[in-house]
Amino acid sequence: MIGAAVTGDRRSLGLMNRRRAPADGMLFVFPQDTTGGFWMQNTLVPLKIVFFNSEGRRVRTMFMTPCRVESCPTYDPGRRYRYALELRATDRRPAARIGPLAKLRQLRRRAT
C-alpha cells in the first residue's frame, strides 16, 4: 500500500533518513495544482519521482540521487502538477496514470 503525504509537514519530511524506500513508494498530495521542485537532502536512497496532474495523468518523470550536504539540487518538473509519486529508482513499473480518480479526490480533500 502506498503511503500518502497529505499535510505540509508530512510532505516536507517525505522519505528523508530512511535506509530503504517503501516498495510502493510515497504519494505526495497537494491541495491545489502546484509548481516547484523536490530535493533529496538527507534522503539516503536513489529515487524516481513521477509527477501527475489533477486527473492522474503523468506529466514528467525524473530520477533523483541522494544528497547529504546542505546545498542539494532541486528536481523541478517545469510543469504544474497535483501529485508526485516517489518510488525506488529501480522500480520499472509503468507510471502513466495513477488512480482510481475517486480515491485521488478523497486524498485531495484531506490535503492541507
Side-chain angles (χ1 to χ4, degrees):
M1 178 174 195
I2 289 177
V6 296
T7 66
D9 287 344
R10 190 68 188 112
R11 286 190 300 267
S12 293
L13 181 60
L15 295 176
M16 285 181 177
N17 301 309
R18 294 188 188 201
R19 295 195 186 283
R20 188 172 184 160
D24 288 328
M26 177 175 280
L27 181 65
F28 294 78
V29 182
F30 295 87
Q32 58 211 14
D33 287 355
T34 191
T35 59
F38 281 63
W39 67 339
M40 294 283 286
Q41 185 174 24
N42 298 321
T43 304
L44 308 176
V45 295
L47 298 172
K48 171 171 76 172
I49 186 166
V50 188
F51 297 92
F52 298 91
N53 67 16
S54 62
E55 297 302 312
R57 289 187 188 91
R58 181 187 64 218
V59 296
R60 181 99 192 259
T61 300
M62 303 177 85
F63 288 87
M64 305 185 298
T65 57
C67 182
R68 294 187 181 150
V69 297
E70 261 188 60
S71 181
C72 297
T74 301
Y75 297 89
D76 188 335
R79 296 177 177 97
R80 297 183 69 71
Y81 59 93
R82 178 64 66 95
Y83 310 98
L85 177 60
E86 287 185 343
L87 298 163
R88 295 175 182 170
T90 56
D91 193 311
R92 299 292 175 229
R93 292 176 285 180
R97 285 184 74 61
I98 55 170
L101 198 51
K103 179 66 175 172
L104 292 176
R105 287 183 180 136
Q106 287 176 352
L107 289 170
R108 198 164 59 202
R109 282 192 292 274
R110 291 181 24 215
T112 58

